[in-house]
Amino acid sequence: MRVVGTVLRNSRQICTGLVQHSLRVQGTSYAAVSQSTRFAMLNRAYSTDPPKSPKEQLPKSEAVKNETSNTEAVKDEKPKSEAAKSEAAKSDNVKTESAQGEKPKEKPKDSERFPSRTFGGKSETKERLFPETGPLSLPGIGIFLTTAIGLFVYFNYEKERVGRERKEKMSRVETVGKADVGGRFELVDQDHQTFTEKNMLGKFHVVYFGFCHCPDICPEEMDKIGDALDLLDKNADTKDTVQPVFISCDPQRDTPVEVKSYLKQFHPKFIGLTGTVEQVRTTCKAYRVYFSKPPKVVGDQDYLVDHAIYTYLMDPDGIFVEVYGKDKNAQYMADDIAKRIKKFKDTGRAL
């Protein structure tokens, strides 16, 4: 029942709205129509017949009244429209007069747009290229450029510092675990000049221990060292960077004169060292070199000295770098020494 009542109310409202709309089209208000006329129009709206025109829906008496009222309204509108036209013409005349009386606006002068500056009693007006304040002002740009230059210099300095520390660290790591070879000693060379560990500073040195009366092994090792030096001298980066040294393990027979005569068979760069038995023993101990002379030697009896067959590479600081045994050939020694020289030069030091 509620649904039915709601549908009836809605349909009634719709029909009433249709009636009001048709009356507005005819120019008649809903309140001015009699109640009987309203009922008649509502019945027509409820009916299923085809719709009639607004004039046909009203009774004849109401239609006549509407026609008379419409003609009177048209008569009343004519004088109103004429009065509106005259008022519009007057307002247009007033606008044209006011427009003719107004002066055109002048453009602002340059002195008003831009501040003037005085130079030597003469005022000049210039347009500002930069604002007085803010990041795009001259002080702001100056601060930015100063900061950028400072950061650039700082980062370059830090980059170089880190590179130097890395190279130093790499060089320190290479010496970790190496044998404690080398140290203080004092001998004499083939020219009877004193020679100590200080004379080995500033260059790479290859040091070999032997004796002048050695029949085969020592000459072979000395020739191998000479061949390696020739290979190094062919390269401009390694030429004259290595000094060969021969140290005798037989001081009783190997005098400076004997050593000088012996070295003539080998590379001309060789320096020969010898000394007293105690001096030679101290030097061999520093370099961890084993040597042994037969215990029972009578007069000028010939003998052989048993010794370690190694060639030691010392850097320009007098620090042990590498050792080469009898199984290493001249090419291997030259290549390895060239690598050591390059690493040393990469630290920024010269030979």
Side-chain angles (χ1 to χ4, degrees):
M1 294 299 291
R2 292 181 181 177
V3 175
V4 173
T6 303
V7 171
L8 292 175
R9 283 195 298 272
N10 292 338
S11 60
R12 181 177 179 182
Q13 292 176 358
I14 292 170
C15 293
T16 304
L18 292 173
V19 171
Q20 292 177 353
H21 175 70
S22 62
L23 290 173
R24 280 195 299 272
V25 171
Q26 298 174 15
T28 305
S29 64
Y30 186 75
V33 179
S34 62
Q35 190 171 4
S36 60
T37 304
R38 294 178 194 170
F39 286 138
M41 294 179 71
L42 287 172
N43 289 331
R44 293 192 192 96
Y46 278 117
S47 65
T48 56
D49 298 334
K52 299 179 180 180
S53 64
K55 290 185 178 181
E56 291 177 351
Q57 293 179 3
L58 291 175
K60 292 182 178 180
S61 60
E62 295 291 340
V64 172
K65 289 181 181 179
N66 289 338
E67 289 177 359
T68 56
S69 62
N70 289 336
T71 54
E72 291 176 358
V74 170
K75 291 179 181 179
D76 293 337
E77 286 178 357
K78 287 182 180 180
K80 287 181 181 180
S81 61
E82 292 176 357
K85 289 181 181 178
S86 62
E87 288 179 1
K90 289 181 181 179
S91 63
D92 292 338
N93 292 332
V94 172
K95 288 181 180 179
T96 54
E97 290 176 359
S98 63
Q100 291 176 359
E102 290 180 357
K103 295 181 179 180
K105 293 184 179 180
E106 297 180 356
K107 294 183 179 180
K109 298 179 180 179
D110 290 342
S111 59
E112 295 177 358
R113 293 172 59 196
F114 308 107
S116 61
R117 295 181 179 179
T118 304
F119 299 94
K122 297 180 180 180
S123 62
E124 295 182 359
T125 302
K126 294 184 178 181
E127 184 177 359
R128 292 185 180 275
L129 296 177
F130 302 97
E132 294 183 357
T133 59
L136 297 180
S137 63
L138 290 177
I141 295 173
I143 293 172
F144 172 77
L145 292 177
T146 304
T147 305
I149 294 171
L151 290 174
F152 176 77
V153 173
Y154 172 75
F155 282 119
N156 277 348
Y157 170 77
E158 285 295 315
K159 183 179 179 180
E160 293 177 358
R161 183 182 64 81
V162 171
R164 289 195 301 269
E165 290 181 355
R166 185 182 293 112
K167 290 179 181 179
E168 292 175 0
K169 185 177 180 181
M170 290 174 64
S171 63
R172 287 197 299 269
V173 169
E174 289 179 356
T175 60
V176 173
K178 296 292 180 67
D180 185 13
V181 176
R184 299 179 63 181
F185 66 89
E186 182 177 343
L187 298 171
V188 292
D189 63 12
Q190 69 267 35
D191 296 323
H192 296 85
Q193 300 295 321
T194 301
F195 193 98
T196 68
E197 75 282 354
K198 294 180 181 178
N199 294 100
M200 296 175 62
L201 300 178
K203 263 189 175 184
F204 280 87
H205 285 70
V206 285
V207 182
Y208 178 75
F209 291 81
F211 62 104
C212 296
H213 294 80
C214 181
D216 49 11
I217 296 177
C218 291
E220 291 177 0
E221 293 299 304
M222 298 281 282
D223 286 335
K224 183 172 68 175
I225 294 172
D227 293 339
L229 292 175
D230 290 337
L231 292 173
L232 291 170
D233 287 342
K234 291 180 180 179
N235 190 340
D237 294 333
T238 57
K239 184 178 181 180
D240 297 329
T241 57
V242 180
Q243 174 64 53
V245 178
F246 168 79
I247 300 178
S248 173
C249 299
D250 187 12
Q252 287 93 340
R253 291 185 295 180
D254 293 345
T255 63
V257 176
E258 186 73 21
V259 171
K260 187 173 185 178
S261 175
Y262 178 68
L263 293 180
K264 290 180 181 180
Q265 308 175 52
F266 307 108
H267 200 282
K269 287 186 177 181
F270 263 107
I271 295 176
L273 303 179
T274 186
T276 65
V277 174
E278 188 61 32
Q279 288 176 332
V280 171
R281 184 179 291 112
T282 301
T283 305
C284 290
K285 185 178 180 181
Y287 278 83
R288 303 295 190 268
V289 173
Y290 163 80
F291 75 99
S292 175
K293 177 185 175 182
K296 297 179 180 180
V297 176
V298 180
D300 295 335
Q301 182 182 357
D302 194 13
Y303 60 89
L304 298 177
V305 177
D306 186 17
H307 63 88
I309 308 172
Y310 293 111
T311 302
Y312 299 90
L313 177 65
M314 312 297 289
D315 73 2
D317 295 325
I319 299 174
F320 168 73
V321 177
E322 190 56 271
V323 61
Y324 307 105
K326 192 174 183 298
D327 58 328
K328 306 300 181 184
N329 57 28
Q331 186 65 53
Y332 177 88
M333 289 179 61
D335 293 342
D336 188 73
I337 293 172
K339 291 179 183 178
R340 309 287 179 172
I341 294 172
K342 184 179 182 303
K343 287 183 179 180
F344 183 84
K345 289 184 175 181
D346 287 343
T347 60
R349 300 176 62 183
L351 294 174

